[in-house]
Amino acid sequence: MNEGMVIVQAGGNELLENGREATVNAIMKVVERKRKKNVRVAVPSLFRRTACNEEYEWLCKEVNRDLHKKILAMKAESVRKREVCSSFLDMDDLIQVGCFLEDGVHLSQEGETKLSQRFIRWIRATHLLMEGRMD
């Protein structure tokens, strides 16, 4: 039996081209594949960039909402069956305007630091769960 942790950080480069449903389905396909191998998965929300149009902004919010709902439902089912759980990491309050480079797309050092710190918190909490030291 495999056991581990994976963070699935999807980007938004092709969000407008692929659309809402295809983006959500692609991410959830990865999550399902990993869960079948008894791997705990974290899915951070897509970043709402500073250099984007209204359509991207709307799609990003909708994809994040869909992912959050699906992962929450998956988590409820996992708890009921006593299986490994997946997590949705909402990054909206964490990754703000000052967290991007001048291009408005890529994270600055501040953004990367905040992102890394959030990932480390999830990894530590998940590790404690895996060791049975946290409910």
Side-chain angles (χ1 to χ4, degrees), residues 14-92:
E14 297 168 356
L15 181 59
L16 293 173
E17 181 180 315
N18 292 340
R20 176 180 175 179
E21 187 176 340
T23 300
V24 171
N25 288 343
I27 294 167
M28 292 307 297
K29 188 175 184 179
V30 173
V31 173
E32 284 292 340
R33 210 169 45 237
K34 294 300 177 187
R35 277 190 61 232
K36 286 179 182 174
K37 293 182 178 182
N38 206 34
V39 174
R40 287 164 172 82
V41 182
V43 179
S45 58
L46 295 180
F47 302 145
R48 292 181 8 222
R49 305 168 174 177
T50 56
C52 65
N53 60 32
E54 288 181 23
E55 183 182 8
Y56 177 90
E57 183 81 14
W58 179 83
L59 267 175
C60 193
K61 286 179 186 179
E62 294 301 308
V63 166
N64 287 338
R65 183 182 347 248
D66 291 350
L67 288 171
H68 194 183
K69 283 181 184 177
K70 286 179 180 286
I71 291 172
L72 196 56
M74 182 184 289
K75 181 174 260 186
E77 182 71 12
S78 295
V79 167
R80 189 180 67 74
K81 291 181 175 180
R82 297 187 173 272
E83 297 174 343
V84 298
C85 294
S86 299
S87 302
F88 179 79
L89 307 177
D90 188 350
M91 308 301 276
D92 277 351

